[in-house]
Amino acid sequence: MRLEYFQLIDRIVDLDLAERRISCEATVPSASTVFEGHFPGFPLMPGVLLIEAMAQTSGWLISAMNRFERMPFLASVKEAKMRTFVLPGYVLNIESKLVHEGSGYAVLDAKVKNNGKQVCDATITLRVMEFPNKELACEMLKLAARVGLTPEAALNA
């Protein structure tokens, strides 16, 4: 994870376009300025960043399904549940599955686990639209390559 850049996904572990699901991995850094304030003496991964990790995982699935021709943007989060604390150093497995798409929106069920134990879950809605500019499209392709997702990999998933 690169918290200061809001890049919360380290790598894509599994992508199954036929099943409309994705699994990603992220290791919570052992040190980050985020932990200086959340909380001094008892560092915890903020719940809002766990939600963002689920949204980013969901976004990678939608990007792959759309062959990087459209961009997913977070539209809503429903029924987010934080079930336990996430500490620095935890390795998180983040999964997302598409449950509905249409009218420019995608609804996904997402969850985060650590050592097989569920940490949190939510229903994520993404707005899927044209890229606002070519620069963002190019940057998203670079980020996708960093986590192991290329348009070619998406085609082969």
Side-chain angles (χ1 to χ4, degrees), residues 55-83:
Q56 287 185 18
T57 297
S58 299
W60 287 127
L61 175 60
I62 297 305
S63 293
M65 290 178 65
N66 285 281
R67 308 291 189 251
F68 295 92
E69 294 173 3
R70 297 176 60 78
M71 175 78 184
F73 293 91
L74 183 60
S76 76
V77 178
K78 294 181 183 171
E79 299 184 29
K81 295 180 181 83
M82 304 301 139
R83 300 179 183 281

Side-chain angles (χ1 to χ4, degrees), residues 61-134:
L61 175 60
I62 297 305
S63 293
M65 290 178 65
N66 285 281
R67 308 291 189 251
F68 295 92
E69 294 173 3
R70 297 176 60 78
M71 175 78 184
F73 293 91
L74 183 60
S76 76
V77 178
K78 294 181 183 171
E79 299 184 29
K81 295 180 181 83
M82 304 301 139
R83 300 179 183 281
T84 189
F85 296 130
V86 172
L87 302 174
Y90 277 18
V91 176
L92 304 177
N93 298 334
I94 308 127
E95 302 172 7
S96 184
K97 181 166 178 54
L98 180 68
V99 294
H100 175 76
E101 67 177 325
S103 301
Y105 290 90
V107 179
L108 304 100
D109 285 335
K111 59 187 168 187
V112 178
K113 294 181 179 179
N114 174 57
N115 284 329
K117 183 179 177 186
Q118 194 156 319
V119 169
C120 62
D121 56 89
T123 299
I124 306 288
T125 300
L126 301 174
R127 176 77 168 105
V128 185
M129 53 197 302
E130 299 295 322
F131 280 93
N133 60 48
K134 289 184 181 196

Side-chain angles (χ1 to χ4, degrees), residues 1-36:
M1 283 187 180
R2 295 174 47 183
L3 293 177
E4 39 301 311
Y5 295 99
F6 254 68
Q7 296 171 3
L8 303 185
I9 304 306
D10 292 331
R11 69 185 185 96
I12 294 175
V13 176
D14 185 44
L15 174 65
D16 187 332
L17 295 179
E19 292 291 321
R20 302 174 355 157
R21 65 176 174 75
I22 189 171
S23 298
C24 295
E25 184 178 273
T27 301
V28 179
S30 58
S32 171
T33 55
V34 168
F35 302 132
E36 293 173 16

